[in-house]
Amino acid sequence: MKKWLVVLFLVMSLAACNKEEKLVRVDYETVEMRPSDDGIITDENQVKSIGAQLEKVNWENEKVEMSRKEDMTLTLFYLYDPNMPERLEEYKIWFHDEMDAEIVDPNEHRYGKLGREDAEKLKNQVK
């Protein structure tokens, strides 16, 4: 009986370890709200690049309010299991004249910044 419990535990542990998240899609919406400025990105290289730029953000757990409406909203779709719905993450982004960016994660109450080079890469990947 104990052997079966050990085997069952090992199988469940291995199954849990195999569930990696994969960024599969990015939806974007710009503040102008023109249909030509909104879209869906499914190209694997472009999606990976956007994800890589957002991983560079140094987050602070802080709820902030900005003085103007965001320039862009990104919604990232992560897939864990093909039989389950995607997990969504939303980011609101403000680009500044000097091309740095401030990013807010409203669901997790996080705030972060991207430097000029990374903000420019992110903006170019989306447009």
Side-chain angles (χ1 to χ4, degrees):
M1 179 71 172
K2 286 183 182 181
K3 288 181 184 180
W4 288 109
L5 289 175
V6 171
V7 170
L8 180 63
F9 176 75
L10 288 174
V11 169
M12 289 176 57
S13 296
L14 291 174
C17 292
N18 289 334
K19 291 184 180 182
E20 288 187 23
E21 69 180 13
K22 180 180 180 186
L23 181 58
V24 293
R25 181 175 127 194
V26 176
D27 289 3
Y28 62 92
E29 184 178 306
T30 59
V31 73
E32 289 87 21
M33 301 298 271
R34 293 181 292 188
S36 63
D37 290 339
D38 301 341
I40 298 170
I41 300 169
T42 56
D43 177 69
E44 189 173 341
N45 292 329
Q46 203 172 355
V47 167
K48 282 182 182 179
S49 179
I50 292 169
Q53 295 307 314
L54 289 173
E55 286 179 10
K56 294 180 180 181
V57 176
N58 291 323
W59 294 104
E60 298 176 23
N61 289 327
E62 194 171 318
K63 188 174 180 179
V64 296
E65 290 186 31
M66 304 300 253
S67 61
R68 64 179 171 90
K69 187 165 175 59
E70 68 274 2
D71 296 315
M72 181 183 300
T73 300
L74 293 181
T75 305
L76 280 61
F77 292 75
Y78 288 94
L79 184 64
Y80 285 100
D81 182 349
N83 299 321
M84 298 295 290
E86 294 107 345
R87 180 178 58 86
L88 306 179
E89 288 184 6
E90 183 178 82
Y91 298 99
K92 297 185 180 299
I93 304 172
W94 288 261
F95 293 102
H96 300 290
D97 292 336
E98 55 275 355
M99 281 304 294
D100 64 332
E102 293 181 286
I103 302 174
V104 172
D105 178 349
N107 297 322
E108 298 291 326
H109 304 293
R110 299 185 304 171
Y111 166 82
K113 287 187 177 185
L114 270 179
R116 172 181 282 179
E117 186 177 312
D118 293 323
E120 192 170 329
K121 285 181 186 176
L122 178 63
K123 191 172 188 177
N124 289 335
Q125 282 295 325
V126 174
K127 294 226 174 186

